[in-house]
């Protein structure tokens, strides 16, 4: 479902961000480490993908604001 494909991707939850390439659709792909807040919110989610703030500029329909105020990306739309 939508909830399962929506992952925490907010820039404010990440540190040590490095660009690693581009997706087929042209989105910038990054690797990162979760900061302390990110570890709490994201848990064991992957540490690679897009940055929600960038993705919101590319395709606003693929990003939602979670109840905690952090942005999440629907990776099915990336």
């Amino acid at each position: 479902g939508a909830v399962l494909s929506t992952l925490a991707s907010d820039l404010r939850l990440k540190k040590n961000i490095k660009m690693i390439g581009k997706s087929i659709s042209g989105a910038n792909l990054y690797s990162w480490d979760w900061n302390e807040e990110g570890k709490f919110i994201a848990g064991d989610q992957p540490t690679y993908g897009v940055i929600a703030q960038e993705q919101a500029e590319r395709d606003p329909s693929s990003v939602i604001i979670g109840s905690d105020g952090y942005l999440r990306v629907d990776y099915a739309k990336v």
Side-chain angles (χ1 to χ4, degrees), residues 19-47:
M19 188 170 168
I20 57 173
K22 289 196 178 278
S23 72
I24 294 169
S25 67
N28 292 331
L29 297 175
Y30 299 90
S31 66
W32 62 81
D33 297 320
W34 295 115
N35 62 26
E36 290 308 309
E37 183 77 0
K39 289 177 191 172
F40 176 75
I41 296 210
D44 61 356
Q45 288 181 18
T47 55

